[in-house]
Coordinates of all heavy atoms in Angstrom, one line a residue:
I127 N 19.0 -2.1 -24.0 CA 19.3 -1.0 -23.2 C 20.1 0.0 -24.1 O 21.2 -0.3 -24.5 CB 20.1 -1.4 -21.9 CG1 19.3 -2.4 -21.1 CG2 20.4 -0.1 -21.1 CD1 17.9 -1.9 -20.7
R128 N 19.4 1.1 -24.5 CA 20.0 2.0 -25.4 C 20.9 3.0 -24.7 O 20.6 3.4 -23.6 CB 18.9 2.7 -26.2 CG 18.2 1.8 -27.2 CD 17.0 2.5 -27.9 NE 15.9 2.6 -26.9 CZ 15.0 1.7 -26.7 NH1 15.0 0.6 -27.4 NH2 14.1 1.9 -25.8
C129 N 22.0 3.4 -25.4 CA 22.8 4.4 -24.9 C 22.4 5.8 -25.5 O 22.2 5.9 -26.7 CB 24.3 4.1 -25.3 SG 25.4 5.3 -24.5
S130 N 22.3 6.8 -24.6 CA 21.8 8.1 -25.1 C 22.9 8.8 -25.8 O 24.1 8.4 -25.8 CB 21.4 8.9 -23.9 OG 22.6 9.4 -23.2
K131 N 22.5 9.9 -26.5 CA 23.5 10.8 -27.1 C 24.1 11.6 -25.9 O 23.5 11.8 -24.9 CB 22.8 11.8 -28.0 CG 22.4 11.2 -29.3 CD 21.7 12.2 -30.2 CE 20.2 12.3 -29.8 NZ 19.3 13.0 -30.6
Y132 N 25.4 12.1 -26.1 CA 26.1 12.8 -25.0 C 25.5 14.1 -24.8 O 25.1 14.9 -25.7 CB 27.6 12.9 -25.4 CG 28.3 13.6 -24.2 CD1 28.6 12.8 -23.1 CD2 28.4 15.0 -24.0 CE1 29.2 13.3 -21.9 CE2 28.9 15.5 -22.9 CZ 29.3 14.7 -21.9 OH 29.8 15.3 -20.7
A133 N 25.4 14.5 -23.5 CA 25.1 15.8 -23.0 C 25.7 16.0 -21.6 O 26.0 15.1 -20.9 CB 23.5 16.0 -23.0
L134 N 25.9 17.3 -21.2 CA 26.5 17.6 -20.0 C 25.7 17.2 -18.8 O 24.4 17.3 -18.9 CB 26.8 19.1 -19.9 CG 28.0 19.6 -20.7 CD1 28.0 21.1 -20.7 CD2 29.3 19.0 -20.2
P135 N 26.3 16.7 -17.7 CA 25.5 16.4 -16.5 C 24.6 17.5 -16.0 O 25.0 18.7 -16.2 CB 26.6 16.1 -15.4 CG 27.8 15.8 -16.2 CD 27.7 16.5 -17.5
G136 N 23.4 17.2 -15.6 CA 22.5 18.3 -15.1 C 21.8 19.1 -16.2 O 21.1 20.0 -15.9
S137 N 22.2 18.9 -17.5 CA 21.6 19.7 -18.5 C 20.2 19.3 -19.0 O 19.8 18.1 -18.8 CB 22.5 19.8 -19.8 OG 22.6 18.5 -20.4
R138 N 19.5 20.2 -19.6 CA 18.2 19.9 -20.2 C 18.3 18.9 -21.3 O 17.5 18.0 -21.5 CB 17.6 21.2 -20.7 CG 16.2 21.1 -21.1 CD 15.5 22.3 -21.6 NE 14.2 21.9 -22.2 CZ 13.2 21.6 -21.4 NH1 13.2 21.9 -20.1 NH2 12.1 21.2 -21.9
E139 N 19.4 19.1 -22.0 CA 19.7 18.1 -23.2 C 19.8 16.7 -22.6 O 19.3 15.8 -23.2 CB 20.9 18.6 -23.9 CG 21.1 18.2 -25.3 CD 22.4 18.5 -25.8 OE1 23.2 19.3 -25.2 OE2 22.8 18.0 -26.9
L140 N 20.5 16.5 -21.5 CA 20.7 15.2 -21.0 C 19.4 14.6 -20.6 O 19.1 13.4 -20.8 CB 21.7 15.2 -19.8 CG 22.0 13.8 -19.2 CD1 22.8 12.9 -20.2 CD2 22.8 13.9 -17.9
M141 N 18.5 15.4 -20.0 CA 17.2 15.0 -19.6 C 16.4 14.5 -20.8 O 15.8 13.4 -20.8 CB 16.5 16.2 -19.0 CG 15.0 16.1 -18.7 SD 14.3 17.7 -18.2 CE 13.4 18.0 -19.7
E142 N 16.5 15.2 -21.9 CA 15.7 14.9 -23.1 C 16.4 13.6 -23.7 O 15.6 12.7 -24.1 CB 15.8 16.0 -24.1 CG 14.9 17.2 -23.8 CD 15.1 18.5 -24.5 OE1 16.1 18.5 -25.3 OE2 14.4 19.5 -24.2
N143 N 17.7 13.5 -23.8 CA 18.3 12.3 -24.4 C 18.0 11.1 -23.5 O 17.9 10.0 -24.1 CB 19.9 12.6 -24.4 CG 20.3 13.7 -25.3 OD1 19.4 14.3 -26.0 ND2 21.5 14.1 -25.3
C144 N 18.0 11.3 -22.2 CA 17.7 10.1 -21.4 C 16.3 9.6 -21.6 O 16.0 8.4 -21.8 CB 17.9 10.5 -19.9 SG 17.3 9.3 -18.7
A145 N 15.3 10.5 -21.6 CA 13.9 10.1 -21.9 C 13.8 9.4 -23.2 O 13.0 8.4 -23.4 CB 13.0 11.3 -21.8
E146 N 14.5 9.9 -24.2 CA 14.5 9.3 -25.5 C 15.1 7.9 -25.5 O 14.5 6.9 -26.0 CB 15.2 10.2 -26.5 CG 15.1 9.7 -28.0 CD 16.1 10.5 -28.9 OE1 16.5 11.6 -28.6 OE2 16.4 9.9 -30.0
A147 N 16.2 7.7 -24.9 CA 16.9 6.4 -24.8 C 16.1 5.4 -24.1 O 16.1 4.2 -24.4 CB 18.3 6.6 -24.2
V148 N 15.4 5.8 -23.0 CA 14.7 4.9 -22.2 C 13.4 4.4 -22.9 O 13.0 3.2 -22.8 CB 14.3 5.5 -20.8 CG1 13.0 6.1 -20.7 CG2 14.7 4.6 -19.7
G149 N 12.9 5.2 -23.8 CA 11.7 4.8 -24.6 C 10.5 4.3 -23.8 O 10.3 4.8 -22.7
E150 N 9.7 3.4 -24.4 CA 8.4 3.0 -23.8 C 8.5 1.8 -23.0 O 7.7 1.5 -22.2 CB 7.4 2.9 -24.9 CG 7.2 4.1 -25.8 CD 6.7 5.3 -25.0 OE1 6.0 5.1 -23.9 OE2 6.9 6.4 -25.5
K151 N 9.6 0.9 -23.3 CA 9.6 -0.4 -22.7 C 10.8 -0.8 -21.9 O 10.7 -1.6 -21.0 CB 9.5 -1.4 -23.9 CG 8.2 -2.2 -23.9 CD 8.2 -3.2 -25.1 CE 8.7 -4.6 -24.6 NZ 9.1 -5.5 -25.7
A152 N 11.9 -0.2 -22.1 CA 13.1 -0.5 -21.4 C 13.1 -0.1 -20.0 O 12.5 1.0 -19.7 CB 14.4 0.0 -22.1
N153 N 13.7 -0.9 -19.1 CA 13.7 -0.5 -17.7 C 15.0 0.2 -17.3 O 15.3 0.4 -16.1 CB 13.4 -1.7 -16.8 CG 12.0 -2.1 -16.9 OD1 11.1 -1.3 -17.0 ND2 11.7 -3.4 -16.8
A154 N 15.8 0.5 -18.3 CA 17.0 1.3 -18.0 C 17.5 1.9 -19.3 O 17.0 1.6 -20.4 CB 18.1 0.3 -17.5
C155 N 18.5 2.8 -19.2 CA 19.2 3.3 -20.4 C 20.6 3.6 -19.9 O 20.9 3.7 -18.7 CB 18.5 4.5 -21.0 SG 18.7 6.0 -20.1
L156 N 21.5 3.8 -20.8 CA 22.9 4.3 -20.5 C 23.0 5.7 -20.9 O 22.4 6.2 -21.9 CB 23.9 3.4 -21.3 CG 24.0 1.9 -21.0 CD1 25.0 1.3 -22.0 CD2 24.3 1.6 -19.6
L157 N 23.7 6.5 -20.1 CA 24.0 7.9 -20.4 C 25.4 7.9 -21.0 O 26.3 7.4 -20.4 CB 23.9 8.8 -19.2 CG 22.6 8.8 -18.4 CD1 22.7 9.7 -17.2 CD2 21.4 9.3 -19.3
N158 N 25.5 8.4 -22.2 CA 26.8 8.4 -22.9 C 27.9 8.9 -22.1 O 27.9 10.0 -21.6 CB 26.6 9.2 -24.2 CG 27.7 8.9 -25.2 OD1 28.8 8.8 -24.9 ND2 27.2 8.6 -26.5
S159 N 29.0 8.1 -21.9 CA 30.2 8.5 -21.2 C 29.9 8.9 -19.7 O 30.7 9.6 -19.2 CB 31.0 9.6 -21.9 OG 31.1 9.3 -23.3
H160 N 28.9 8.4 -19.2 CA 28.5 8.9 -17.8 C 28.0 7.8 -16.9 O 28.6 7.6 -15.8 CB 27.4 9.9 -18.1 CG 26.8 10.5 -16.8 ND1 26.1 11.7 -16.9 CD2 26.8 10.1 -15.5 CE1 25.7 12.0 -15.6 NE2 26.1 11.1 -14.8
G161 N 27.0 7.0 -17.3 CA 26.5 6.0 -16.3 C 25.2 5.3 -16.8 O 24.9 5.3 -18.0
A162 N 24.4 4.8 -15.8 CA 23.2 4.1 -16.1 C 22.0 4.7 -15.3 O 22.2 5.2 -14.2 CB 23.4 2.6 -15.7
V163 N 20.9 4.6 -15.9 CA 19.6 5.0 -15.2 C 18.7 3.8 -15.2 O 18.4 3.3 -16.3 CB 18.9 6.2 -16.0 CG1 17.6 6.6 -15.3 CG2 19.9 7.4 -16.1
C164 N 18.3 3.4 -14.0 CA 17.5 2.1 -13.9 C 16.2 2.5 -13.2 O 16.1 3.2 -12.2 CB 18.3 1.1 -13.0 SG 19.9 0.7 -13.8
L165 N 15.2 1.8 -13.8 CA 13.7 2.1 -13.4 C 13.1 0.9 -12.7 O 13.5 -0.2 -13.0 CB 12.9 2.5 -14.6 CG 13.6 3.3 -15.7 CD1 12.6 3.5 -16.8 CD2 14.1 4.6 -15.2
G166 N 12.1 1.2 -11.9 CA 11.3 0.1 -11.4 C 9.9 0.6 -11.0 O 9.7 1.7 -10.8
K167 N 9.0 -0.4 -10.9 CA 7.7 0.0 -10.4 C 7.7 0.3 -8.9 O 6.9 1.1 -8.3 CB 6.6 -1.2 -10.6 CG 6.9 -2.4 -9.8 CD 5.8 -3.4 -10.2 CE 5.7 -4.7 -9.3 NZ 6.9 -5.4 -8.9
D168 N 8.8 -0.2 -8.2 CA 9.1 0.2 -6.8 C 10.6 0.1 -6.7 O 11.3 -0.2 -7.6 CB 8.4 -0.6 -5.8 CG 8.6 -2.1 -6.1 OD1 9.7 -2.5 -6.6 OD2 7.7 -3.0 -5.7
M169 N 11.1 0.5 -5.5 CA 12.6 0.6 -5.3 C 13.2 -0.8 -5.4 O 14.3 -0.9 -6.0 CB 12.8 1.2 -3.9 CG 14.3 1.7 -3.7 SD 14.8 2.9 -4.9 CE 14.1 4.4 -4.2
K170 N 12.5 -1.8 -4.9 CA 13.1 -3.2 -5.0 C 13.3 -3.5 -6.5 O 14.3 -4.1 -6.8 CB 12.1 -4.1 -4.3 CG 12.7 -5.4 -3.8 CD 11.7 -6.2 -3.1 CE 12.0 -7.7 -3.3 NZ 10.9 -8.6 -3.1
S171 N 12.3 -3.2 -7.3 CA 12.5 -3.5 -8.8 C 13.6 -2.7 -9.4 O 14.3 -3.2 -10.3 CB 11.1 -3.2 -9.5 OG 10.1 -3.8 -8.9
A172 N 13.7 -1.4 -9.0 CA 14.7 -0.6 -9.6 C 16.2 -1.2 -9.2 O 17.1 -1.2 -10.1 CB 14.6 0.8 -9.1
F173 N 16.3 -1.7 -8.0 CA 17.6 -2.3 -7.6 C 17.8 -3.6 -8.4 O 18.9 -3.8 -8.8 CB 17.6 -2.6 -6.1 CG 18.2 -1.4 -5.3 CD1 17.4 -0.6 -4.6 CD2 19.6 -1.2 -5.3 CE1 18.0 0.5 -3.9 CE2 20.2 -0.2 -4.6 CZ 19.4 0.7 -3.9
K174 N 16.7 -4.3 -8.6 CA 16.9 -5.5 -9.4 C 17.3 -5.2 -10.8 O 18.2 -5.8 -11.4 CB 15.5 -6.2 -9.5 CG 15.6 -7.6 -10.0 CD 14.2 -8.3 -9.7 CE 14.2 -9.7 -10.3 NZ 12.8 -10.3 -10.1
T175 N 16.7 -4.2 -11.4 CA 17.1 -3.7 -12.7 C 18.6 -3.3 -12.8 O 19.3 -3.7 -13.7 CB 16.3 -2.4 -13.2 OG1 14.9 -2.7 -13.1 CG2 16.6 -2.0 -14.6
A176 N 19.0 -2.6 -11.7 CA 20.4 -2.1 -11.7 C 21.3 -3.3 -11.6 O 22.4 -3.3 -12.3 CB 20.6 -1.2 -10.5
K177 N 21.0 -4.3 -10.8 CA 21.8 -5.5 -10.7 C 21.9 -6.3 -12.0 O 23.0 -6.7 -12.4 CB 21.3 -6.3 -9.5 CG 22.3 -7.1 -8.8 CD 21.7 -8.0 -7.7 CE 21.3 -7.3 -6.4 NZ 20.7 -8.1 -5.4
I178 N 20.8 -6.5 -12.6 CA 20.7 -7.3 -13.8 C 21.4 -6.6 -15.0 O 22.1 -7.2 -15.8 CB 19.3 -7.7 -14.2 CG1 18.7 -8.6 -13.1 CG2 19.2 -8.4 -15.5 CD1 19.4 -9.9 -12.8
L179 N 21.3 -5.2 -15.1 CA 21.9 -4.5 -16.1 C 23.4 -4.6 -16.0 O 24.1 -4.9 -17.0 CB 21.5 -3.0 -16.0 CG 22.3 -2.1 -17.0 CD1 22.1 -2.5 -18.4 CD2 22.0 -0.6 -16.8
E180 N 23.9 -4.4 -14.8 CA 25.4 -4.5 -14.5 C 25.9 -5.9 -14.8 O 27.0 -6.1 -15.5 CB 25.7 -4.1 -13.1 CG 27.2 -4.1 -12.8 CD 28.1 -3.2 -13.6 OE1 27.7 -2.5 -14.5 OE2 29.3 -3.1 -13.3
M181 N 25.1 -7.0 -14.4 CA 25.5 -8.3 -14.7 C 25.5 -8.6 -16.2 O 26.5 -9.2 -16.7 CB 24.5 -9.2 -14.0 CG 24.9 -10.7 -13.9 SD 23.7 -11.6 -12.9 CE 23.0 -12.5 -14.3
T182 N 24.5 -8.1 -16.9 CA 24.5 -8.3 -18.4 C 25.7 -7.6 -19.0 O 26.3 -8.2 -19.9 CB 23.1 -7.7 -18.9 OG1 22.1 -8.2 -18.2 CG2 23.0 -8.1 -20.4
A183 N 26.0 -6.4 -18.6 CA 27.1 -5.7 -19.1 C 28.4 -6.5 -18.9 O 29.3 -6.6 -19.8 CB 27.2 -4.3 -18.5
Q184 N 28.5 -7.1 -17.7 CA 29.8 -7.8 -17.3 C 29.9 -9.1 -18.2 O 30.9 -9.4 -18.7 CB 29.7 -8.2 -15.9 CG 31.0 -8.9 -15.4 CD 31.1 -9.1 -13.9 OE1 30.2 -8.7 -13.2 NE2 32.2 -9.7 -13.5
I185 N 28.7 -9.7 -18.4 CA 28.7 -11.0 -19.3 C 29.1 -10.6 -20.7 O 30.0 -11.2 -21.3 CB 27.4 -11.7 -19.2 CG1 27.1 -12.3 -17.8 CG2 27.3 -12.8 -20.3 CD1 25.7 -12.7 -17.5
L186 N 28.6 -9.5 -21.2 CA 28.8 -9.1 -22.6 C 30.3 -8.7 -22.7 O 31.0 -9.1 -23.7 CB 27.9 -7.9 -23.0 CG 28.0 -7.5 -24.4 CD1 27.8 -8.6 -25.4 CD2 27.0 -6.4 -24.7
Y187 N 30.8 -8.0 -21.7 CA 32.3 -7.7 -21.7 C 33.1 -8.9 -21.8 O 34.1 -9.0 -22.6 CB 32.6 -6.8 -20.5 CG 34.1 -6.7 -20.3 CD1 34.8 -5.7 -21.0 CD2 34.8 -7.5 -19.4 CE1 36.1 -5.6 -20.8 CE2 36.1 -7.3 -19.2 CZ 36.8 -6.4 -19.9 OH 38.2 -6.3 -19.7

Side-chain angles (χ1 to χ4, degrees):
I127 302 307
R128 286 173 289 273
C129 185
S130 75
K131 287 178 280 194
Y132 184 81
L134 287 170
S137 66
R138 190 180 170 81
E139 204 187 345
L140 184 64
M141 169 190 109
E142 286 164 0
N143 295 354
C144 171
E146 188 190 335
V148 100
E150 303 297 335
K151 244 183 97 194
N153 288 324
C155 74
L156 298 177
L157 302 178
N158 199 312
S159 306
H160 178 161
V163 177
C164 300
L165 325 177
K167 66 180 191 317
D168 51 28
M169 195 60 81
K170 205 176 147 199
S171 311
F173 268 102
K174 192 172 177 183
T175 305
K177 210 182 279 178
I178 298 299
L179 172 61
E180 180 62 356
M181 195 177 107
T182 308
Q184 185 172 2
I185 292 167
L186 186 54
Y187 168 80

